[in-house]
C-alpha cells in the first residue's frame, strides 16, 4: 500500500513539473537570470572570432574583418525571400495547370514567347535564349496552343546597378492577359540582387512562375519546380560549341598541376571571405592558387597589404595554360554562388572542386554531380589539398570523362542549356513518359533520348553494350521505289529475291514514291517473307519515317537499283549486330574543309578515307527513324523533300551527332560511284548536274543547324575472314564476294 502511494506521489510531482515547464518556462528563465546576476555571474557569450586568441596562426586579422552591415542572419534571409517570393512553396501539383499541356497528348507541350515591345532592349544572352526556344520543335506562335509561356522582356540581369536592368516589371507583366499570377510561365535569370548583399531579389514578384535561375541557393530552390541553370557569358555560343579538351583515354589521367585557381579577390563584401583565404593553399609547385585585387574602378583605394604581391604572382601564370595542365580546378563562389569558372572547368576536363556552400548545382534534378565534381566546404579550405591528393587515378579518369560527357550533352551552347531546361519541365508534366537518371547521365545524354519512343533502356542501341544486351537476329528491309513497275526484269525485282533469301530477313517493306499507283500484289514475285507496300507520298524523307510496320530493331535501307548478293547482306548484318549504334553499309563518301571557300565540301572520290555511308545500302537501328522525324527540325526535312536529295547525308549527320563515331564500311563486290550520265538520260538520281551542287550546299546547311561538324573521318573497313587471301575458295564463308 505504501509503495502504491509512493508511485502516485511521484507521478503527481512529474505532472506538476511538466505543467510548470510548458506553461511557466518564461518565468523560470527570468528567475534563473535574476539568480545569476545576484551571484555576480555573467553568462559568457560565444567567442568573438576576431579576437587574436581564437585566430588560427595561418590567418591575418584583416582577412576576417567584414562590413557588419553586409552580414544577414538566416532568419533575415528567409524573411527577405518570403516577401519577394510569396509562392515559395510552389510545386508542379499546386502552381501549374497541367490541362494546358495535355490537350494533344505529349505533343501538347508547346512554348509561346511574348512579343518584344519596340522600345525594349534585349541583351545578347537573352536574345540567344529566345532564339533557341523559337527554333525548337516546341515553339508555337499561337498562345492558345501553349503549355508554357516565356516573357519577351529581358529578365536575365536584375542588378539595379546594371545597364541591362529593366525597371517596372511588376506593372508590365501584370498587364499581360495570360499572366495569371505567373502560372505556367518560365522566367530566366542569371544575375539577381545588387551591392552589397547580392540577395536573390529579382525586383518583381514572380508569383507562381517557374524560375530557371543561375546561382540558386538551396534554401530558396523549390524542388521539382524551379530549374537551376549554369552561369554563362554573353560569348557563350548559340549552337554546337567547342568540344571538350579531353583526348579519349588520355593517360596518365593526372596533369602537371594538381590544383589551380586564377581569378579576382574581393576585399570587402559578400564572397570576400572565401577568395581572401585562397592564397593559403598556394605553393607555386603543384598547387597554383592566384588572386588579384586589380579590378573595379576604385581597387587602389581599398587595396590591402597583400595586393601588390598577389598582383605580381598573378601575372606569372597564364590562365589557359593552367586550365590545360591541371587535374583539379577550384571553383569558389564570387559575389553570387555561381561562377564562370564552372563551365570553363567542365570543358577543360579539369575536375571542378566547388567552394560555394548552399549552391544548387545546375540541372540538379537530373544530373548526378557526384560523378563529375568534388564538393568542398568554404569553411574547410585547408583540407582541400589533402582531399584531392587522396583521389585515385581511376577515379580521376572517371571524373574527367564525366565532365566531358556533361559538357557536350548539356552545357556547350545556349541551345543545349535552354533545351535541357525545357526537357526537364516536359518530363515533369508527362512524368509517366519521362527519362530516368541513367538516360540523363549516360551517353549520348537526355536530349537525344526521346521517351516517346520508349522508356526502356534496352530499346535504345547505345545502351546495349552497358546493359550486356544483344540486338535481335532479324532485320526489316525498307526499299525506296521511285520508278513505276513496267517489267519483271527491273533491278527491284532481282533485289527482292536477293534480300528475301537471307536467313536473317524478317520482312520487306516497299515505300512507293512513284507518281503512278503501286501495282497489285500479284505483280510482285513470290517470296518466303512478308511483303508490304506502303505509300511514301512522294516524299524523300518518307524512307526514314518511324513506320509502325517495322517490327525488328535492325533496318536495311535500300534503293530500288541497289545491286547486292545475299552473302553481302548477311555479312553486313552480322557486322551491324556488333555495332548496333552505328550505320553499317557499303558505298562510302567523305567531307572536307575548303579553306578557299571557307565552307565544307562533299566528295565521292573512291579513297580509303570516308565519313559517310550512303543509306542506299546500309543497316542501322530503327530508333534513328524516330529521331530523324521528331528530333530534327521541319526546315531540314523540308529542304530534303524539296530537292529530293541529301536525306542520306542528313541521316549520317544525325547518327554521328549521337555517337560521336564514324559509320562502318564493309567489304563489297562492286563499287558505286556518283558519275554523271550522258546527256538526255535520267537513269540515275545524280544524272541532274545540280545533284552534286545540292549535296555541297546540304553539307553546309546541316553543319550550320548542328552548330558544328558532327561527321567523323575513318579508314576502317571490315572484311570477312580470308577475304581475298590466296587460299582455296572452299575455305571461305563468303566466297561469292570475290567473284566479279
Amino acid at each position: 500500500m505504501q509503495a502504491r502511494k509512493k508511485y502516485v506521489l511521484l507521478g503527481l510531482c512529474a505532472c506538476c513539473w511538466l505543467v510548470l515547464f510548458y506553461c511557466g518556462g518564461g518565468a523560470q528563465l527570468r528567475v534563473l537570470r535574476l539568480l545569476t546576476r545576484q551571484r555576480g555571474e555573467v553568462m559568457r557569450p560565444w567567442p568573438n572570432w576576431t579576437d587574436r586568441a581564437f585566430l588560427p596562426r595561418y590567418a591575418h586579422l584583416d582577412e576576417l574583418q567584414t562590413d557588419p552591415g553586409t552580414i544577414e542572419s538566416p532568419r533575415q534571409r528567409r524573411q527577405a525571400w518570403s516577401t519577394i517570393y510569396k509562392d515559395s512553396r510552389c510545386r508542379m501539383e499546386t502552381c501549374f495547370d497541367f490541362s494546358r499541356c495535355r490537350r494533344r497528348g505529349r505533343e501538347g507541350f508547346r512554348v509561346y514567347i511574348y512579343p518584344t515591345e519596340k522600345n525594349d532592349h534585349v541583351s545578347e544572352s537573352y536574345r540567344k535564349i529566345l532564339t533557341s526556344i523559337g527554333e525548337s520543335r516546341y515553339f508555337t506562335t499561337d498562345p492558345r496552343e501553349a503549355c508554357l509561356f516565356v516573357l519577351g522582356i529581358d529578365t536575365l540581369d536584375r542588378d539595379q546597378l546594371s545597364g541591362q536592368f529593366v525597371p517596372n516589371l511588376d506593372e508590365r507583366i501584370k498587364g499581360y492577359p495570360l499572366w495569371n499570377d505567373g502560372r505556367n510561365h518560365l522566367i530566366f535569370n542569371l544575375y539577381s540582387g545588387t551591392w552589397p548583399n547580392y540577395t536573390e531579389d529579382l525586383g518583381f514578384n514572380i508569383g507562381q512562375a517557374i524560375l530557371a535561375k543561375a546561382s540558386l541557393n538551396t534554401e530558396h530552390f523549390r524542388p521539382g519546380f524551379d530549374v537551376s541553370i549554369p552561369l554563362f557569358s554573353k560569348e557563350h555560343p548559340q549552337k554546337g560549341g567547342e568540344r571538350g579538351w579531353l583526348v579519349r583515354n588520355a593517360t596518365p589521367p593526372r596533369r602537371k598541376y594538381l590544383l589551380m585557381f586564377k581569378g579576382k579577390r574581393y576585399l570587402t563584401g559578400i564572397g570576400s571571405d572565401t577568395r581572401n583565404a585562397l592564397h593559403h593553399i598556394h605553393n607555386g609547385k603543384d598547387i597554383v592558387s592566384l588572386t588579384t585585387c586589380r579590378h573595379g574602378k576604385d581597387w587602389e583605394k581599398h587595396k590591402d597589404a597583400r595586393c601588390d604581391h598577389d598582383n605580381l604572382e598573378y601575372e606569372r601564370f597564364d590562365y589557359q595554360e593552367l586550365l590545360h595542365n591541371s587535374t583539379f580546378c577550384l571553383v569558389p563562389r564570387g559575389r553570387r554562388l555561381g561562377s564562370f569558372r564552372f563551365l570553363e572547368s567542365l570543358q577543360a576536363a579539369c575536375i571542378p572542386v566547388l567552394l560555394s556552400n548552399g549552391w544548387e548545382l545546375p540541372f540538379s534534378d537530373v544530373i548526378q554531380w557526384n560523378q563529375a565534381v568534388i564538393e568542398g566546404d568554404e569553411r574547410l579550405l585547408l583540407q582541400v589539398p589533402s582531399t584531392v591528393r587522396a583521389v585515385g587515378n581511376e577515379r580521376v579518369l572517371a571524373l574527367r570523362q564525366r565532365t566531358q560527357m556533361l559538357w557536350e550533352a548539356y552545357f556547350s551552347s545556349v541551345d543545349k542549356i535552354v533545351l535541357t531546361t525545357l526537357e526537364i519541365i516536359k518530363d515533369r508534366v508527362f512524368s509517366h513518359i519521362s527519362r530516368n537518371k541513367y538516360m540523363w547521365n549516360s551517353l549520348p545524354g537526355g536530349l537525344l533520348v526521346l521517351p516517346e519512343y520508349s522508356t526502356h533502356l534496352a530499346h535504345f542501341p547505345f545502351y546495349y553494350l552497358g546493359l550486356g544486351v544483344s540486338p535481335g537476329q532479324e532485320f526489316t528491309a525498307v526499299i525506296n521505289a521511285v520508278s513505276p513497275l513496267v517489267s519483271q526484269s527491273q533491278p527491284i525485282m532481282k533485289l527482292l529475291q536477293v534480300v528475301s533469301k537471307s536467313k536473317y530477313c524478317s520482312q520487306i517493306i516497299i515505300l512507293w514514291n512513284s507518281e503512278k499507283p503501286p501495282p497489285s500484289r500479284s505483280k510482285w514475285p513470290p517470296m518466303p517473307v512478308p511483303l508490304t507496300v506502303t505509300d511514301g507520298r512522294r516524299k524523300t524523307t518518307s524512307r526514314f519515317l518511324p513506320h509502325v510496320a517495322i517490327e525488328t530493331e535492325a533496318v536495311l535501307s535500300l534503293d530500288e537499283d541497289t545491286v547486292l548478293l545475299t552473302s553481302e547482306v548477311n555479312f553486313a548484318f552480322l557486322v551491324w549486330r556488333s555495332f548496333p549504334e552505328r550505320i553499317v553499309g557499303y558505298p562510302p563518301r567523305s567531307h572536307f574543309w575548303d579553306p578557299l571557300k571557307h565552307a565544307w565540301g562533299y566528295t565521292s572520290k573512291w579513297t580509303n578515307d570516308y565519313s559517310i555511308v550512303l543509306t542506299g545500302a546500309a543497316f542501322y537501328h530503327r530508333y534513328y527513324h524516330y529521331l530523324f522525324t521528331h528530333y530534327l527540325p521541319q526546315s531540314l526535312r523540308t529542304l530534303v523533300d524539296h530537292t529530293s536529295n541529301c536525306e542520306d547525308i542528313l541521316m549520317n549527320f544525325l547518327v554521328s551527332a549521337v555517337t560521336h563515331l564514324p559509320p562502318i564500311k564493309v567489304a563489297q563486290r562492286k563499287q558505286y560511284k556518283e558519275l554523271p550520265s550522258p546527256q538526255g538520260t535520267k537513269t540515275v538520281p545524280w544524272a541532274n548536274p545540280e545533284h552534286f551542287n545540292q549535296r555541297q550546299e546540304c553539307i553546309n546547311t546541316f553543319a550550320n543547324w548542328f552548330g558544328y561538324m558532327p561527321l567523323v573521318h575513318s579508314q576502317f573497313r571490315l572484311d570477312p575472314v580470308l577475304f581475298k587471301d590466296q587460299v582455296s575458295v572452299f575455305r571461305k564463308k563468303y566466297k561469292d564476294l570475290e567473284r566479279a
Side-chain angles (χ1 to χ4, degrees), residues 540-562:
T540 307
T541 56
S542 64
R543 69 186 306 166
F544 297 136
L545 288 175
H547 300 283
V548 179
I550 300 176
E551 299 176 351
T552 60
E553 296 166 331
V555 176
L556 173 58
S557 177
L558 296 166
D559 286 338
E560 62 179 6
D561 57 350
T562 302

mmCIF file of all heavy atoms in Angstrom, residues 540-562:
data_model
loop_
_atom_site.group_PDB
_atom_site.id
_atom_site.type_symbol
_atom_site.label_atom_id
_atom_site.label_comp_id
_atom_site.label_asym_id
_atom_site.label_seq_id
_atom_site.Cartn_x
_atom_site.Cartn_y
_atom_site.Cartn_z
ATOM 1 N N THR A 540 10.891 12.406 -100.088
ATOM 2 C CA THR A 540 12.185 11.745 -99.926
ATOM 3 C C THR A 540 12.408 11.305 -98.490
ATOM 4 O O THR A 540 13.013 10.261 -98.229
ATOM 5 C CB THR A 540 13.309 12.705 -100.372
ATOM 6 O OG1 THR A 540 13.016 13.180 -101.689
ATOM 7 C CG2 THR A 540 14.652 12.007 -100.372
ATOM 8 N N THR A 541 11.923 12.096 -97.540
ATOM 9 C CA THR A 541 12.132 11.764 -96.124
ATOM 10 C C THR A 541 11.248 10.620 -95.653
ATOM 11 O O THR A 541 11.415 10.147 -94.527
ATOM 12 C CB THR A 541 11.857 12.996 -95.242
ATOM 13 O OG1 THR A 541 10.534 13.490 -95.504
ATOM 14 C CG2 THR A 541 12.864 14.099 -95.515
ATOM 15 N N SER A 542 10.315 10.163 -96.495
ATOM 16 C CA SER A 542 9.411 9.099 -96.048
ATOM 17 C C SER A 542 10.155 7.798 -95.768
ATOM 18 O O SER A 542 9.679 6.958 -95.005
ATOM 19 C CB SER A 542 8.316 8.859 -97.093
ATOM 20 O OG SER A 542 8.872 8.380 -98.306
ATOM 21 N N ARG A 543 11.327 7.629 -96.354
ATOM 22 C CA ARG A 543 12.083 6.404 -96.118
ATOM 23 C C ARG A 543 12.573 6.318 -94.677
ATOM 24 O O ARG A 543 12.961 5.252 -94.211
ATOM 25 C CB ARG A 543 13.254 6.311 -97.089
ATOM 26 C CG ARG A 543 14.364 7.311 -96.865
ATOM 27 C CD ARG A 543 15.410 7.237 -97.976
ATOM 28 N NE ARG A 543 15.932 5.901 -98.150
ATOM 29 C CZ ARG A 543 16.637 5.490 -99.201
ATOM 30 N NH1 ARG A 543 16.877 6.339 -100.187
ATOM 31 N NH2 ARG A 543 17.102 4.268 -99.281
ATOM 32 N N PHE A 544 12.595 7.468 -93.977
ATOM 33 C CA PHE A 544 13.058 7.480 -92.598
ATOM 34 C C PHE A 544 11.936 7.776 -91.606
ATOM 35 O O PHE A 544 12.194 8.140 -90.460
ATOM 36 C CB PHE A 544 14.180 8.509 -92.423
ATOM 37 C CG PHE A 544 15.413 8.201 -93.228
ATOM 38 C CD1 PHE A 544 16.065 9.199 -93.922
ATOM 39 C CD2 PHE A 544 15.904 6.904 -93.295
ATOM 40 C CE1 PHE A 544 17.206 8.918 -94.670
ATOM 41 C CE2 PHE A 544 17.034 6.612 -94.046
ATOM 42 C CZ PHE A 544 17.679 7.626 -94.731
ATOM 43 N N LEU A 545 10.696 7.638 -92.035
ATOM 44 C CA LEU A 545 9.580 7.787 -91.098
ATOM 45 C C LEU A 545 9.548 6.584 -90.154
ATOM 46 O O LEU A 545 9.920 5.469 -90.539
ATOM 47 C CB LEU A 545 8.257 7.886 -91.846
ATOM 48 C CG LEU A 545 7.992 9.195 -92.605
ATOM 49 C CD1 LEU A 545 6.700 9.076 -93.401
ATOM 50 C CD2 LEU A 545 7.924 10.368 -91.638
ATOM 51 N N PRO A 546 9.097 6.777 -88.922
ATOM 52 C CA PRO A 546 9.003 5.644 -87.977
ATOM 53 C C PRO A 546 7.799 4.762 -88.294
ATOM 54 O O PRO A 546 6.785 4.770 -87.592
ATOM 55 C CB PRO A 546 8.858 6.341 -86.618
ATOM 56 C CG PRO A 546 8.232 7.659 -86.929
ATOM 57 C CD PRO A 546 8.740 8.065 -88.283
ATOM 58 N N HIS A 547 7.894 4.000 -89.347
ATOM 59 C CA HIS A 547 6.778 3.176 -89.807
ATOM 60 C C HIS A 547 6.431 2.114 -88.766
ATOM 61 O O HIS A 547 7.312 1.392 -88.268
ATOM 62 C CB HIS A 547 7.121 2.507 -91.135
ATOM 63 C CG HIS A 547 7.419 3.489 -92.230
ATOM 64 N ND1 HIS A 547 6.435 4.183 -92.894
ATOM 65 C CD2 HIS A 547 8.609 3.894 -92.767
ATOM 66 C CE1 HIS A 547 6.999 4.977 -93.801
ATOM 67 N NE2 HIS A 547 8.304 4.820 -93.741
ATOM 68 N N VAL A 548 5.167 2.019 -88.470
ATOM 69 C CA VAL A 548 4.693 1.043 -87.484
ATOM 70 C C VAL A 548 4.971 -0.374 -87.955
ATOM 71 O O VAL A 548 5.183 -1.289 -87.145
ATOM 72 C CB VAL A 548 3.185 1.239 -87.226
ATOM 73 C CG1 VAL A 548 2.675 0.214 -86.210
ATOM 74 C CG2 VAL A 548 2.902 2.655 -86.738
ATOM 75 N N ALA A 549 5.007 -0.578 -89.262
ATOM 76 C CA ALA A 549 5.201 -1.934 -89.807
ATOM 77 C C ALA A 549 6.590 -2.490 -89.512
ATOM 78 O O ALA A 549 6.794 -3.710 -89.583
ATOM 79 C CB ALA A 549 4.959 -1.921 -91.310
ATOM 80 N N ILE A 550 7.553 -1.629 -89.168
ATOM 81 C CA ILE A 550 8.913 -2.108 -88.870
ATOM 82 C C ILE A 550 8.913 -2.727 -87.476
ATOM 83 O O ILE A 550 8.791 -2.020 -86.469
ATOM 84 C CB ILE A 550 9.939 -0.958 -88.954
ATOM 85 C CG1 ILE A 550 9.937 -0.346 -90.352
ATOM 86 C CG2 ILE A 550 11.331 -1.459 -88.592
ATOM 87 C CD1 ILE A 550 10.856 0.853 -90.503
ATOM 88 N N GLU A 551 9.067 -4.031 -87.414
ATOM 89 C CA GLU A 551 8.976 -4.747 -86.141
ATOM 90 C C GLU A 551 10.335 -5.142 -85.575
ATOM 91 O O GLU A 551 10.431 -5.509 -84.406
ATOM 92 C CB GLU A 551 8.104 -5.998 -86.313
ATOM 93 C CG GLU A 551 6.670 -5.688 -86.751
ATOM 94 C CD GLU A 551 5.859 -6.950 -87.003
ATOM 95 O OE1 GLU A 551 6.468 -8.046 -87.000
ATOM 96 O OE2 GLU A 551 4.637 -6.831 -87.201
ATOM 97 N N THR A 552 11.368 -5.095 -86.383
ATOM 98 C CA THR A 552 12.696 -5.513 -85.928
ATOM 99 C C THR A 552 13.524 -4.284 -85.539
ATOM 100 O O THR A 552 13.228 -3.150 -85.947
ATOM 101 C CB THR A 552 13.440 -6.280 -87.030
ATOM 102 O OG1 THR A 552 13.582 -5.430 -88.174
ATOM 103 C CG2 THR A 552 12.665 -7.523 -87.418
ATOM 104 N N GLU A 553 14.584 -4.533 -84.749
ATOM 105 C CA GLU A 553 15.470 -3.439 -84.362
ATOM 106 C C GLU A 553 16.322 -2.980 -85.536
ATOM 107 O O GLU A 553 16.600 -1.793 -85.682
ATOM 108 C CB GLU A 553 16.362 -3.889 -83.202
ATOM 109 C CG GLU A 553 15.576 -4.218 -81.933
ATOM 110 C CD GLU A 553 16.419 -4.979 -80.933
ATOM 111 O OE1 GLU A 553 17.333 -5.707 -81.355
ATOM 112 O OE2 GLU A 553 16.161 -4.843 -79.731
ATOM 113 N N ALA A 554 16.756 -3.925 -86.359
ATOM 114 C CA ALA A 554 17.625 -3.603 -87.485
ATOM 115 C C ALA A 554 16.804 -3.254 -88.712
ATOM 116 O O ALA A 554 15.796 -3.902 -89.011
ATOM 117 C CB ALA A 554 18.552 -4.777 -87.794
ATOM 118 N N VAL A 555 17.258 -2.210 -89.413
ATOM 119 C CA VAL A 555 16.633 -1.788 -90.661
ATOM 120 C C VAL A 555 17.696 -1.818 -91.751
ATOM 121 O O VAL A 555 18.792 -1.266 -91.578
ATOM 122 C CB VAL A 555 16.046 -0.373 -90.554
ATOM 123 C CG1 VAL A 555 15.478 0.081 -91.895
ATOM 124 C CG2 VAL A 555 14.968 -0.319 -89.482
ATOM 125 N N LEU A 556 17.376 -2.464 -92.870
ATOM 126 C CA LEU A 556 18.238 -2.439 -94.051
ATOM 127 C C LEU A 556 17.605 -1.486 -95.053
ATOM 128 O O LEU A 556 16.574 -1.791 -95.651
ATOM 129 C CB LEU A 556 18.400 -3.830 -94.656
ATOM 130 C CG LEU A 556 19.144 -3.900 -96.000
ATOM 131 C CD1 LEU A 556 20.546 -3.307 -95.892
ATOM 132 C CD2 LEU A 556 19.203 -5.332 -96.516
ATOM 133 N N SER A 557 18.214 -0.310 -95.206
ATOM 134 C CA SER A 557 17.706 0.694 -96.137
ATOM 135 C C SER A 557 18.315 0.459 -97.513
ATOM 136 O O SER A 557 19.543 0.337 -97.649
ATOM 137 C CB SER A 557 18.058 2.100 -95.637
ATOM 138 O OG SER A 557 17.637 3.078 -96.554
ATOM 139 N N LEU A 558 17.445 0.412 -98.547
ATOM 140 C CA LEU A 558 17.908 0.086 -99.898
ATOM 141 C C LEU A 558 17.259 0.996 -100.928
ATOM 142 O O LEU A 558 16.077 1.362 -100.795
ATOM 143 C CB LEU A 558 17.566 -1.364 -100.249
ATOM 144 C CG LEU A 558 18.234 -2.473 -99.421
ATOM 145 C CD1 LEU A 558 17.543 -3.801 -99.672
ATOM 146 C CD2 LEU A 558 19.724 -2.555 -99.764
ATOM 147 N N ASP A 559 18.047 1.373 -101.936
ATOM 148 C CA ASP A 559 17.481 1.997 -103.128
ATOM 149 C C ASP A 559 17.016 0.897 -104.069
ATOM 150 O O ASP A 559 17.522 -0.228 -104.041
ATOM 151 C CB ASP A 559 18.526 2.868 -103.821
ATOM 152 C CG ASP A 559 18.789 4.168 -103.069
ATOM 153 O OD1 ASP A 559 17.915 4.575 -102.282
ATOM 154 O OD2 ASP A 559 19.868 4.761 -103.267
ATOM 155 N N GLU A 560 16.083 1.230 -104.933
ATOM 156 C CA GLU A 560 15.492 0.218 -105.811
ATOM 157 C C GLU A 560 16.493 -0.368 -106.810
ATOM 158 O O GLU A 560 16.308 -1.483 -107.291
ATOM 159 C CB GLU A 560 14.308 0.812 -106.566
ATOM 160 C CG GLU A 560 14.698 1.971 -107.472
ATOM 161 C CD GLU A 560 13.527 2.540 -108.246
ATOM 162 O OE1 GLU A 560 12.386 2.115 -108.002
ATOM 163 O OE2 GLU A 560 13.762 3.399 -109.101
ATOM 164 N N ASP A 561 17.563 0.381 -107.126
ATOM 165 C CA ASP A 561 18.525 -0.089 -108.125
ATOM 166 C C ASP A 561 19.795 -0.648 -107.487
ATOM 167 O O ASP A 561 20.808 -0.834 -108.165
ATOM 168 C CB ASP A 561 18.877 1.041 -109.085
ATOM 169 C CG ASP A 561 19.422 2.269 -108.367
ATOM 170 O OD1 ASP A 561 19.351 2.301 -107.113
ATOM 171 O OD2 ASP A 561 19.922 3.193 -109.037
ATOM 172 N N THR A 562 19.774 -0.903 -106.183
ATOM 173 C CA THR A 562 20.947 -1.448 -105.497
ATOM 174 C C THR A 562 21.238 -2.860 -105.991
ATOM 175 O O THR A 562 20.320 -3.679 -106.144
ATOM 176 C CB THR A 562 20.724 -1.470 -103.978
ATOM 177 O OG1 THR A 562 20.450 -0.136 -103.533
ATOM 178 C CG2 THR A 562 21.947 -2.001 -103.252
#
